[in-house]
Amino acid sequence: MTARIDPAGTLVGRYEGTGSRALLIGSHIDSVRDAGRYDGPLGVMLGIECASALHRVGRRLPFAIEVAAFGDEEGSRFPAAMLCSRAMAGTIEARALEVAGLDEALAGWGLNRASFLSARRDPADLIGYLEAHIEQGPVLEADGLALGVVTAIAAQKRYAVTLTGIAGHAGTNSMALRKDALTAAAEAVLAVERIGRSGPPDLVATVGRMEVLPGAPNVVPGDVRFSIDVRAGTIAVRDPAAEAIYAAITEITKARGIGCDIRQLYDLPPAPCDRGMMDRLEKAMISIGQPARRLVSGAGHDAMIFAGITPMAMLFLRCRDGISHNPAESVTAEDAELAFQAMLAFIETLAEDFDG
Ligand code: GLV
Ligand code: MN
Ligand code: MN
């Protein structure tokens, strides 16, 4: 492959074919704090293995294979997420790049915000997008299956909340008079959980990060910042829950005389996978002796950004105990080999049916 870093910082390797259009195989190489080693990088490595296998036998396809290693999928570093895949898909606006720390990070790689959006690829140059990823859930393992075909990726919304009370001496501020931002936040977190639990099983709502300021044992907390992540298979389930959370936090803080600012960081619609690509992936799996179990992804993936841009498919690999976003994440070499074989078979069926 010839490798380059695109204007959004995505590392892209291209294995040329006889035609100029490309099958994009992608995933991410950023991670969450205290992550496992497979969430993201495994999908990139499987893409590289596919190109490598074709290269070893001198096989050129009627299309190129491009392997993309995206950054910022998780939204761990900046108050944003999927910046790199959104840039490549052309689904991001300049305003979304006004996030703390991004300029400095880009400058470290000789990149800048002004050219970030030029990472956009013309969909006419792509024949599709394929992503392999660990399931991050227990379904395949429970069914005794190594691989699964993703049918759709759940809709996500993420918020940044700031509650503002009055910092003060923990010994002298009587309980009745204090304006404690953390006790208000505690009620807010429980409201998020209650609303998340009150919907269908695909509805999930999480507070995963919280910062308490000034953060001293003898000071009543003056400011609390926390994240909210709300997801569901459909907007019809997700959005009323998000609105109920907003209303509950507004009410809690009002009753306590605490200031409240809730900012939406992003809104990703649900992403259906392409029917033709799913069928093709299923055929590829069956051709290597793997039953094709179909399942929905509750986790977000770069693939969701490409839905509606180019035909998109996702292959899931079983992971141990469904554990992910945790250093105990585990995938077997045997399952990774099966995923690789399925991807190669998928690529071959694309080549067979390719008509330009
Ligand atoms: C990515 O792992 C996400 O689903 O948040
Ligand atoms: Mn992840
Ligand atoms: Mn991931």
Side-chain angles (χ1 to χ4, degrees), residues 175-193:
M175 296 308 286
L177 296 177
R178 58 177 67 181
K179 295 270 180 263
D180 184 333
L182 181 57
T183 48
E187 273 197 60
V189 173
L190 291 176
V192 170
E193 184 189 48

Side-chain angles (χ1 to χ4, degrees), residues 118-183:
S118 67
R120 177 180 180 273
R121 297 293 300 270
D122 184 344
D125 294 339
L126 301 175
I127 63 167
Y129 177 92
L130 174 65
E131 180 165 354
H133 201 285
I134 63 165
E135 182 201 334
Q136 307 182 277
V139 173
L140 293 174
E141 187 180 55
D143 286 359
L145 297 172
L147 304 176
V149 178
V150 177
T151 55
I153 304 169
Q156 303 185 18
K157 267 188 173 179
R158 224 178 262 183
Y159 299 89
V161 183
T162 305
L163 302 190
T164 309
I166 299 176
H169 197 293
T172 59
N173 276 277
S174 67
M175 296 308 286
L177 296 177
R178 58 177 67 181
K179 295 270 180 263
D180 184 333
L182 181 57
T183 48

Side-chain angles (χ1 to χ4, degrees), residues 28 39-40 73-74 133 136 300-301:
H28 60 101
D39 173 5
E73 190 267 0
E74 305 279 10
H133 201 285
Q136 307 182 277
H301 300 287

Side-chain angles (χ1 to χ4, degrees), residues 229-294:
D229 179 302
V230 189
R231 307 183 191 203
T234 60
I235 288 177
V237 169
R238 182 198 61 176
D239 284 5
E243 281 156 26
I245 287 170
Y246 191 100
I249 296 177
T250 306
E251 196 175 314
I252 289 162
T253 49
K254 208 166 141 201
R256 287 175 166 269
I258 297 287
C260 171
D261 175 64
I262 305 177
R263 201 156 49 86
Q264 183 176 296
L265 294 182
Y266 64 81
D267 173 355
L268 296 174
C273 298
D274 180 79
R275 268 176 199 285
M277 295 283 265
M278 279 195 285
D279 291 346
R280 196 179 284 286
L281 194 51
E282 191 167 293
K283 230 170 81 186
M285 285 162 60
I286 290 167
S287 77
I288 60 156
Q290 291 300 306
R293 168 79 154 85
R294 294 193 173 202

